[in-house]
Short mmCIF file of all heavy atoms in Angstrom, two decimals:
data_model
loop_
_atom_site.label_atom_id
_atom_site.label_comp_id
_atom_site.label_asym_id
_atom_site.label_seq_id
_atom_site.Cartn_x
_atom_site.Cartn_y
_atom_site.Cartn_z
N ALA A 208 77.25 -71.91 280.04
CA ALA A 208 77.75 -72.05 281.40
C ALA A 208 79.24 -71.97 281.44
O ALA A 208 79.83 -71.48 282.41
CB ALA A 208 77.25 -73.42 281.96
N MET A 209 79.90 -72.49 280.42
CA MET A 209 81.38 -72.40 280.32
C MET A 209 81.79 -71.01 279.88
O MET A 209 82.75 -70.49 280.40
CB MET A 209 81.86 -73.45 279.30
CG MET A 209 81.72 -74.89 279.73
SD MET A 209 82.42 -76.08 278.61
CE MET A 209 81.15 -76.21 277.40
N ALA A 210 81.03 -70.40 278.93
CA ALA A 210 81.48 -69.12 278.34
C ALA A 210 81.25 -67.93 279.25
O ALA A 210 82.00 -66.97 279.28
CB ALA A 210 80.79 -68.92 277.03
N PHE A 211 80.08 -67.93 280.03
CA PHE A 211 79.70 -66.72 280.76
C PHE A 211 80.06 -66.72 282.23
O PHE A 211 79.75 -65.73 282.93
CB PHE A 211 78.20 -66.53 280.57
CG PHE A 211 77.78 -66.01 279.19
CD1 PHE A 211 76.44 -65.93 278.85
CD2 PHE A 211 78.76 -65.64 278.22
CE1 PHE A 211 76.11 -65.45 277.58
CE2 PHE A 211 78.42 -65.18 277.03
CZ PHE A 211 77.05 -65.09 276.67
N ALA A 212 80.53 -67.87 282.76
CA ALA A 212 80.93 -67.92 284.15
C ALA A 212 82.20 -67.05 284.35
O ALA A 212 83.02 -66.96 283.44
CB ALA A 212 81.20 -69.34 284.59
N PRO A 213 82.41 -66.43 285.53
CA PRO A 213 81.55 -66.47 286.67
C PRO A 213 80.49 -65.33 286.71
O PRO A 213 79.72 -65.24 287.70
CB PRO A 213 82.57 -66.23 287.81
CG PRO A 213 83.56 -65.31 287.23
CD PRO A 213 83.68 -65.73 285.76
N THR A 214 80.39 -64.53 285.63
CA THR A 214 79.44 -63.45 285.66
C THR A 214 78.00 -63.96 285.69
O THR A 214 77.15 -63.44 286.42
CB THR A 214 79.62 -62.57 284.44
OG1 THR A 214 80.94 -62.02 284.45
CG2 THR A 214 78.61 -61.40 284.36
N ILE A 215 77.72 -65.00 284.90
CA ILE A 215 76.40 -65.58 284.85
C ILE A 215 76.42 -67.06 285.25
O ILE A 215 77.25 -67.82 284.82
CB ILE A 215 75.86 -65.49 283.39
CG1 ILE A 215 75.80 -64.06 282.95
CG2 ILE A 215 74.47 -66.15 283.26
CD1 ILE A 215 74.85 -63.17 283.70
N ARG A 216 75.48 -67.33 286.14
CA ARG A 216 75.28 -68.81 286.49
C ARG A 216 74.00 -69.22 285.67
O ARG A 216 73.06 -68.51 285.64
CB ARG A 216 75.07 -68.90 288.02
CG ARG A 216 74.97 -70.35 288.49
CD ARG A 216 75.13 -70.36 290.02
NE ARG A 216 74.07 -69.66 290.73
CZ ARG A 216 72.87 -70.20 291.06
NH1 ARG A 216 72.57 -71.39 290.65
NH2 ARG A 216 72.01 -69.43 291.72
N ILE A 217 74.11 -70.41 285.07
CA ILE A 217 73.05 -70.84 284.18
C ILE A 217 72.69 -72.28 284.50
O ILE A 217 73.53 -73.14 284.78
CB ILE A 217 73.38 -70.63 282.72
CG1 ILE A 217 72.26 -71.02 281.78
CG2 ILE A 217 74.67 -71.36 282.35
CD1 ILE A 217 72.47 -70.55 280.36
N ALA A 218 71.37 -72.57 284.42
CA ALA A 218 70.88 -73.92 284.70
C ALA A 218 69.60 -74.14 283.86
O ALA A 218 69.05 -73.19 283.34
CB ALA A 218 70.63 -74.16 286.16
N GLY A 219 69.15 -75.39 283.85
CA GLY A 219 67.93 -75.73 283.06
C GLY A 219 66.97 -76.52 283.98
O GLY A 219 67.37 -77.14 284.92
#
Side-chain angles (χ1 to χ4, degrees):
M209 293 185 279
F211 286 173
T214 301
I215 301 296
R216 187 164 63 85
I217 183 166

